Structures are given as structure tokens and as C-alpha cells.
Amino acid sequence: MYTPPRFFRCHLTLTGPGRLCILPFVSEPAEPVVSLAGIEKEYGGEKVLRGVSLELAAGELTALVGRSGSGKSTLLHVIGGLDQGYRGRARVLGVDLASLDDRGRARFRNAQVGFVFQAFHLLEHLSCAENVALPSYFEGSTATGDGAPRDPLVRAAEALDRVGIADHARRLPGQLSGGQKQRVAIARALFHRPPLLLADEPTGNLDSETGQKIIALFQALNGDGLTLLIVTHEERVSQATRRVIRLDDGRIVAEAGASA
């Protein structure tokens, strides 16, 4: 289970003869997981994002909604380090994305941000476990966060277990239902246990019942402490989140719900 780090500070004070009391300092607010300021983006001279500013705190479950072409996916790509050439400041997990070169952005994405898309993007000739383990081939190491080497397929099996399909590890994608394929894609996004998961229309290719199960899975992951930002046009998805941000013509025009 992913557990966000917590830090505590205190000081000692005398409350009377021979009495020592430990009093906590008022904690400083944690840095947001995502902090955007004045983000602008153009494609072919057409403005797609127009001065977007927002913050996401650790542990939030947020939906990003709006009509097609409103800039939702572009904003998600900026946050995930997939898109460059924007104006403004994008700070994610304490890192100013503009300060990273191509290699730095790739390493940041691979280790710190999980991506889930509407299309599953599974390689048909690889087993589920091998698909989930694909991020290990881009990291240059099979070490975990504590430096201990780990077999990528063991880590893949753990990720598959986390999304409830550990018994499908050896199956090929062609042997899976749409919902099972999306669970494999989510397991792949969780391979490095990133603190931030970005999802772009993750239920768009799923029927109502299967989509509801994926929504419940996202809620469970959020309950474990994972921060999620989900781009969606489906009301059933946005209703399951605790915060909804609406984009229109590249601007945030409405927001509902409180930060976690």
C-alpha cells in the first residue's frame, strides 16, 4: 500500500518545576502534488490552454471534465511531462518540469507518474505479467526504492494482485475481456508505485457494469493514498470523485468539491 510520507516537528518546554512537556509545532502545509500557474499552450497558432492555474494536494481524487476540444487531455499531458512548449509554471511532485531535459522527463514519468488511457496499449504477444513489467525495461535498473534488486515479473505479479487479477498473469491480452485489459493497463501504471496516477478517459471503451468496477478500483487505490486525476466526459466517473474541475475553451470555468 502506498503511504505518503509524513513529517512531524516538536519542541520541548518547561511547564513547571521539573516538568517537561513536548508540544508540536504548527505543521507547515505540504507542497501540492501538482501546482500549475498560468499554463498556456498552442498548437499551430491556436490556443488550447489559456492561463490554467490549479493545485492538487496529496490524496486527492479529482475529475477533469469538459466538452471535446476543451483542453483536458493537453492539460493532463503537461502535468505528466508528455507535452513541452507551454508557457507558465508546471511543478509536479516538487519538480519544475521545465528544468528537465528529454531524458530527465522520461525518467520522471517512468518512476513518478502512472498513466492510464482509453486504449489499453497492451502488446498482444506478451503475457499480462510481461506487459505490466514493461516499465522496468526503461528504468535501467530492477532496483526498488530501497535499492534492493527485484525480479520485474515478481513486481508485476504484485501489481496484478493489487488490481485483482493475479490469476491472469500468464494470459495473453487476446484472452481477456475489456475490463480485464484495463486492469492490466492500470497494474502497469502502478508498477513503480508512483504517487500520482493520471487517467485519460479510462472507462471510455467499457460497458456500464465493467466501467463501474474500474471506478471502484480507482476509489480503492485513492483510499490507499494514491493521488488521481481523471479526464472524463462520463458523469458516473465525475460523481465518484471528491473534486470536479471543468474546462472550457482552455480555461477553468467551474469547480466543485473540496480538496482531500
Side-chain angles (χ1 to χ4, degrees):
M1 181 175 71
Y2 170 75
T3 303
R6 297 176 180 269
F7 301 93
F8 300 92
R9 295 189 303 160
C10 63
H11 68 274
L12 303 179
T13 185
L14 290 173
T15 59
R19 295 182 180 179
L20 191 62
C21 182
I22 300 177
L23 297 176
F25 283 116
V26 176
S27 60
E28 298 177 0
E31 181 172 2
V33 172
V34 175
S35 179
L36 305 181
I39 296 297
E40 298 184 355
K41 177 69 180 179
E42 295 182 3
Y43 286 116
E46 181 179 352
K47 285 190 176 182
V48 180
L49 297 176
R50 302 169 183 263
V52 174
S53 298
L54 69 86
E55 290 187 349
L56 299 180
E60 284 202 60
L61 174 56
T62 303
L64 187 60
V65 303
R67 61 181 176 80
S68 179
S70 60
K72 304 186 303 296
S73 294
T74 300
L75 186 60
L76 200 75
H77 292 171
V78 169
I79 294 171
L82 291 170
D83 221 331
Q84 306 175 51
Y86 57 83
R87 292 186 293 276
R89 187 197 69 200
R91 190 171 177 84
V92 180
L93 296 165
V95 176
D96 186 343
L97 299 183
S99 69
L100 302 176
D101 58 16
D102 290 344
R103 185 176 181 182
R105 278 191 301 274
R107 295 183 66 178
F108 175 80
R109 289 192 302 266
N110 194 44
Q112 299 297 323
V113 183
F115 292 92
V116 179
F117 301 100
Q118 181 173 344
F120 312 125
H121 298 302
L122 302 180
L123 299 183
E124 295 295 328
H125 64 286
L126 296 182
S127 69
C128 292
E130 290 168 334
N131 268 285
V132 172
L134 279 175
S136 69
Y137 298 102
F138 301 101
E139 66 180 341
S141 169
T142 57
T144 58
D146 58 8
R150 295 283 304 280
D151 183 341
L153 292 180
V154 171
R155 293 162 61 188
E158 293 172 352
L160 287 168
D161 182 61
R162 194 176 182 194
V163 300
I165 52 171
D167 56 338
H168 290 36
R170 296 185 180 182
R171 293 189 185 182
L172 295 174
Q175 299 172 304
L176 304 178
S177 67
Q180 290 168 341
K181 289 179 180 179
Q182 191 61 294
R183 286 178 183 266
V184 174
I186 295 170
R188 181 180 56 203
L190 299 175
F191 181 79
H192 284 307
R193 292 186 173 267
L196 175 63
L197 184 67
L198 305 177
D200 195 351
E201 301 287 3
T203 59
N205 284 338
L206 305 177
D207 61 64
S208 178
E209 181 180 354
T210 304
Q212 199 60 46
K213 291 178 180 178
I214 295 300
I215 293 169
L217 174 59
F218 283 142
Q219 290 176 314
L221 293 170
N222 178 248
D224 287 344
L226 185 65
T227 304
L228 292 96
L229 177 61
I230 305 173
V231 164
T232 185
H233 67 277
E234 296 189 72
E235 189 173 348
R236 60 176 177 170
V237 178
S238 59
Q239 287 181 341
T241 66
R242 288 180 285 173
R243 182 181 178 192
V244 179
I245 299 171
R246 181 173 295 277
L247 278 183
D248 187 38
D249 196 25
R251 297 184 177 91
I252 293 177
V253 296
E255 183 173 342
S259 299

